[in-house]
Amino acid sequence: MAFMAAAATAPSSSSSPLQLHKHAAARRSAPALLLRRPRSRSHRNHLVCSLDATKQAVQEERPAAVNGVAGRTDCYGVFCTTYDLRAVGARWRTDWCKRDEETKTWKKVVSVAVSGAAGMISNHLLFKLASGQVFGPDQPIALKLLGSSQRSFQKLEGVAMELEDSLYPLLREVSIGIDPYEVFQDVEWALLIGAKPRGPGMERADLLNINGHIFAQQGKALNAVASRNVKVLVVGNPCNTNALICLKNAPDIPSKNFHALTRLDENRAKCQLALKASVFYDKISNMTIWGNHSTTQVPDFVNARIDGKPARQVIRDTKWLHEEFTKTVQKRGGELIQKRGRSSAPSTAVSIVDAIRSLVTPTPEGDWFSSGVYTNGNPYGIAEDIVFSMPCRSKGDGDYELVTDVTIDDFLWERIKKSEAELLAEKRCVGHLIGEGEEELCEVTEDTMLPGEQ
Ligand SMILES: NC(=O)C1=CN([C@@H]2O[C@H](COP(=O)(O)OP(=O)(O)OC[C@H]3O[C@@H](n4cnc5c(N)ncnc54)[C@H](OP(=O)(O)O)[C@@H]3O)[C@@H](O)[C@H]2O)C=CC1
Ligand SMILES: O=C([O-])CC(=O)C(=O)O
């Protein structure tokens, strides 16, 4: 396996966008496998193995030097050591593409785009994705890495080289590019992490505007070229409003498929409850984060459970729950930045893994998880047409349902309304990016802060 630069964006590429389209066509007819191997950046070569590919075509493209382990000739580089482990007997002597068809041991490759792929969070996340701990140990994966400029292109090449050198058996393709219309082609998951950090003296409204433009463009690109059922997880801040912008610019993709990452907040809240109750973190369940990924978020101790019991029965210290717990979770990101000098990256990557796994595995009976999702007929009375973190359950099919059996008392409701007001104000700031008004309507309050901004 080796990585491939998107043709139109590779600095020294002689390939044309037309060739990229050809690759897309090849992918459609090759449900089981697509391996790509550039000989050099100016001469790329592709090994394509599909259920209907001829043996001759495969042989023509197979590099002579990789005749595999233990005398097996039907191998491609390192892959033959791990592929098709259940195939026994003489099967491996047959054409290796055919063997996949016969044994049905292959899952279709899942195609995952990651923006901000050269950044700190991706530095941790990509290796988790490639290792199989996100989509499963039997799920081959193709990674499509998106950067923002020619400047970042070289960094992406470095990232791709490290992925290659890690010899992940499930990693079937790595491609890099800076044009979302190429990188997002046919992707089934888009993890949108890339965003500009807030610079010195930059107003909150400026941040909303600058990053909003990124997510408007990426929404349009997803709408044009991604899988019609692509699942989109927005991490780049301010993630709720960026997710709203993205989905509004992708009208052909179900709005329900868009998520803003609030799982890190959920994990932080679970950690605090576990510490206070002196229990292992896995005893904490039913943890909801309501609202915005900001300092107005509402970590819900009312519905949370500790070892199956309501959290308030285990932690009797109401003052702590009302004041310290809530504030600690809201400001955890900022505290971390103060101590570490940079925003959370490894724990964010872990929470992205958790967020995806919550959608691709069934939610344990009686439990739920938090995600920032589009409000469209929500049962709680929260304003519609924003992205708000709420409790969700999934059957493991990538989709989710909102949880209805939750109690919202006055304490929660008052705070939920504050976070809602903040998101409505953010929405007014980006009206020009969602076809609903002018930038001048933007009025953001002191409360509108990222967790890392105090
Ligand atoms: N929701 C959550 O829970 C959390 C969210 N975050 C947010 O995640 C984001 C990323 O954090 P982190 O990885 O630490 O930041 P980094 O600054 O390390 O990385 C950001 C990356 O994004 C890239 N980038 C910028 N603009 C674009 C674009 N238009 N398309 C693709 N890539 C782009 C940058 O590369 P270059 O400009 O060189 O191309 C850079 O590599 C931030 O917005 C942060 O606030 C962080 C923690 C938690
Ligand atoms: O503010 C930031 O960039 C970091 C952040 O979102 C968090 O730590 O929750």
Side-chain angles (χ1 to χ4, degrees), residues 301-302 321-323 326 409-416:
F301 57 81
V302 175
L321 285 170
H322 282 202
E323 293 170 18
T326 304
D409 67 5
D410 290 347
F411 179 91
L412 288 181
W413 190 242
E414 191 188 313
R415 283 155 186 81
I416 284 173

Side-chain angles (χ1 to χ4, degrees), residues 359-381:
L359 291 168
V360 300
T361 51
T363 310
E365 188 64 35
D367 202 359
W368 60 69
F369 58 91
S370 304
S371 188
V373 293
Y374 185 57
T375 53
N376 180 17
N378 75 88
Y380 319 110

